[in-house]
Amino acid sequence: MNKRAKFELRKPLVLWSLTLAVFSIFGALRTGAYMVYILMTKGLKQSVCDQSFYNGPVSKFWAYAFVLSKAPELGDTIFIILRKQKLIFLHWYHHITVLLYSWYSYKDMIAGGGWFMTMNYGVHAVMYSYYALRAAGFRVSRKFAMFITLSQITQMLMGCVINYLVFYWMQQDQCHSHFQNIFWSSLMYLSYLVLFCHFFFEAYIGKMKKTTKAE
């Protein structure tokens, strides 16, 4: 695209973001309802270690849909390239590694999957709704964007906590996982945590300091 004019693609982007927003909202509601039920009736350990999330009549479909959705979500990158926007490392690294890890873990029905998927659905429901509003030309408060990034940071922290719990309970033969999976998952979540914190500082804190100095 270096020597080409950028494509506007506003209407396709609205449709794309809105579709992913609706999909994520339904996914968050359906998986969230299941996880809340398990938490309330069986407790935290069962919600982390129980593999029934992969087999339940409703959660089974949304777990499978989640894994498959990581491939079309790469379309976000296509829009960035065609519209000649800045493609940051965090964006493509996050998309590729989530896809690989999701597919790698789903086949073994790894413990903690219910938490990972539900959190991702929830954050994406808000994030893609924001993208759809922006693409449609609505003026959205900067605080909304900050909230999304803070939600992503919280998600990464929670991912690290869930990995620790899986590892701890795995030692007691109460969680189905293996060290290799926990290692790669922890490395992935920690790298996301560092990158999203860096992005938050650069995008919001750094700019706020520059604006204050300019005034």
Side-chain angles (χ1 to χ4, degrees):
M1 290 299 293
N2 281 340
K3 297 179 181 179
R4 295 175 181 270
K6 69 176 182 178
F7 293 89
E8 288 299 326
L9 301 175
R10 184 171 292 278
K11 289 181 180 178
L13 184 57
V14 171
L15 182 61
W16 174 259
S17 299
L18 187 60
T19 300
L20 287 174
V22 172
F23 168 75
S24 299
I25 289 167
F26 275 101
L29 290 173
R30 301 300 272 166
T31 59
Y34 178 86
M35 292 302 292
V36 168
Y37 171 77
I38 295 296
L39 269 171
M40 298 296 289
T41 57
K42 299 181 180 180
L44 177 63
K45 183 187 288 187
Q46 192 73 2
S47 73
V48 173
C49 298
D50 190 14
Q51 292 176 283
S52 62
F53 182 86
Y54 296 96
N55 299 313
V58 174
S59 58
K60 178 182 180 179
F61 169 80
W62 288 102
Y64 189 56
F66 174 88
V67 173
L68 292 182
S69 71
K70 296 304 146 190
E73 278 182 10
L74 296 176
D76 292 353
T77 311
I78 296 173
F79 277 103
I80 290 173
I81 293 169
L82 293 179
R83 298 175 77 218
K84 296 187 78 169
Q85 295 181 325
K86 187 178 180 181
L87 180 61
I88 61 174
F89 171 76
L90 171 59
H91 175 89
W92 61 264
Y93 167 73
H94 176 66
H95 273 283
I96 291 172
T97 48
V98 167
L99 182 149
L100 293 173
Y101 178 73
S102 298
W103 290 11
Y104 166 64
S105 299
Y106 179 79
K107 66 181 177 62
D108 293 330
M109 295 194 296
I110 292 299
W115 276 91
F116 297 149
M117 294 184 203
T118 302
M119 289 191 297
N120 193 268
Y121 268 133
V123 171
H124 278 202
V126 179
M127 184 182 76
Y128 281 113
S129 297
Y130 170 76
Y131 289 161
L133 290 171
R134 285 288 302 273
F138 289 95
R139 294 187 66 180
V140 186
S141 172
R142 185 177 177 81
K143 291 179 181 179
F144 195 1
M146 290 179 70
F147 170 75
I148 292 170
T149 308
L150 285 172
S151 299
Q152 291 167 319
I153 291 170
T154 304
Q155 179 191 351
M156 304 319 158
L157 281 169
M158 282 295 297
C160 293
V161 171
I162 297 300
N163 273 320
Y164 170 76
L165 292 175
V166 170
F167 178 76
Y168 177 76
W169 286 320
M170 188 180 71
Q171 309 306 306
Q172 305 170 13
D173 292 325
Q174 295 177 326
C175 263
H176 173 70
S177 188
H178 47 83
F179 179 77
Q180 219 176 13
N181 186 284
I182 295 171
F183 172 80
W184 288 115
S185 180
S186 299
L187 188 64
M188 184 181 73
Y189 271 110
L190 283 169
S191 66
Y192 292 163
L193 179 61
V194 172
L195 289 168
F196 274 107
C197 285
H198 176 73
F199 174 79
F200 185 85
F201 181 82
E202 290 290 316
Y204 307 114
I205 308 299
K207 285 184 179 179
M208 285 171 63
K209 286 183 178 178
K210 287 179 182 177
T211 304
T212 305
K213 286 181 180 179
E215 291 174 353

